[in-house]
């Protein structure tokens, strides 16, 4: 059974996460972190859109093959 302080993120506890967050804050500063997160969010959104396009193309090809079989 997992303890209260155990985080299921690479087995890091609360204190380790706090130390990492403080180091990031010191390295980038308070004003730079929102900008970094915004860029990360845009990247994730772009990745999801790309995956949706791949799924759409895959569906189109599958539909075309089924139609040609008729």
């Amino acid at each position: 059974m997992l303890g209260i302080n155990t985080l299921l993120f690479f087995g890091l506890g609360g204190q380790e996460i706090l130390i990492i967050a403080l180091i990031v804050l010191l390295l980038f500063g308070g004003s730079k972190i929102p900008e970094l997160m915004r860029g990360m969010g845009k990247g994730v959104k772009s990745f999801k859109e790309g995956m949706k396009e791949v799924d759409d193309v895959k569906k189109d090809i599958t539909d075309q093959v089924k139609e040609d079989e008729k």
Side-chain angles (χ1 to χ4, degrees):
M1 187 164 165
L2 298 174
I4 293 175
N5 291 333
T6 302
L7 186 63
L8 292 176
F9 186 74
F10 300 113
L12 297 176
Q15 291 177 339
E16 289 88 359
I17 296 294
L18 182 61
I19 291 171
I20 292 170
L22 288 173
I23 291 172
V24 168
L25 184 61
L26 288 173
L27 288 175
F28 295 108
S31 63
K32 194 71 170 173
I33 292 175
E35 185 179 324
L36 292 170
M37 293 299 111
R38 192 175 306 116
M40 182 182 281
K42 287 180 181 179
V44 169
K45 181 180 177 184
S46 175
F47 178 78
K48 285 183 179 180
E49 288 173 353
M51 291 301 295
K52 186 177 182 291
E53 288 178 17
V54 168
D55 288 340
D56 290 346
V57 169
K58 182 179 174 183
K59 185 179 180 296
D60 289 344
I61 292 172
T62 304
D63 291 345
Q64 221 173 25
V65 168
K66 286 181 182 178
E67 187 177 298
D68 288 344
E69 289 177 349
K70 291 181 180 181

